[in-house]
Amino acid sequence: MFYMASLIGTKIPEQMATSSNPWAYLVGVLLVALIGIGGYTLKWLVKLDTTHREESAKREEKLNFQLDKSIEATSSLVDTQKEMIVAITGVQNNLHELKTETNNRLEMLEKTVNKESA
């Protein structure tokens, strides 16, 4: 861009008019213009890439935060399920002991009834 701006104040148009090959000057000016456009496009692409990388980093950070929260919630749910399993196992053990104790008492009552009836 700086190079193109420096050519504007020169005598290129006059030299093109007086030259035996004015197309050479025109091609030169067009090449300088293409270089300027290329430089501008490169700067624009670099800025676009930087913006894209920043937005991607923000999205990644947000997704990592959501994943951490999801893992934490799942971990809490698993802990609750483990506690429930322990509680159910305890209830099952208590019921089994109660059944055994009830059966033992029934046997003792049957023996007592059998002794009294004999």
Side-chain angles (χ1 to χ4, degrees):
M1 294 299 268
F2 175 73
Y3 190 64
M4 279 184 57
S6 66
L7 289 179
I8 292 173
T10 63
K11 298 180 181 181
I12 290 181
E14 294 170 7
Q15 291 174 350
M16 283 178 61
T18 59
S19 172
S20 61
N21 192 3
W23 292 108
Y25 288 105
L26 181 63
V27 169
V29 169
L30 289 176
L31 284 175
V32 169
L34 284 176
I35 290 171
I37 291 170
Y40 176 77
T41 303
L42 181 63
K43 286 180 185 178
W44 180 76
L45 287 174
V46 167
K47 181 179 177 184
L48 183 66
D49 181 56
T50 304
T51 304
H52 175 71
R53 287 177 189 262
E54 290 171 356
E55 289 175 358
S56 294
K58 288 178 184 176
R59 279 194 303 271
E60 183 179 356
E61 184 178 326
K62 182 179 177 182
L63 288 174
N64 282 336
F65 179 75
Q66 289 176 346
L67 180 62
D68 289 343
K69 288 292 185 183
S70 176
I71 289 171
E72 184 179 313
T74 303
S75 175
S76 176
L77 180 63
V78 168
D79 290 342
T80 303
Q81 289 175 341
K82 285 180 181 179
E83 291 173 5
M84 290 175 63
I85 290 170
V86 168
I88 290 170
T89 304
V91 169
Q92 286 177 334
N93 290 339
N94 288 341
L95 287 174
H96 182 68
E97 290 175 12
L98 185 61
K99 178 183 171 187
T100 304
E101 187 178 326
T102 304
N103 285 339
N104 289 342
R105 286 186 182 179
L106 282 175
E107 286 177 13
M108 287 177 61
L109 285 173
E110 284 178 9
K111 288 180 183 178
T112 305
V113 170
N114 287 340
K115 284 183 184 179
E116 290 181 4
S117 61

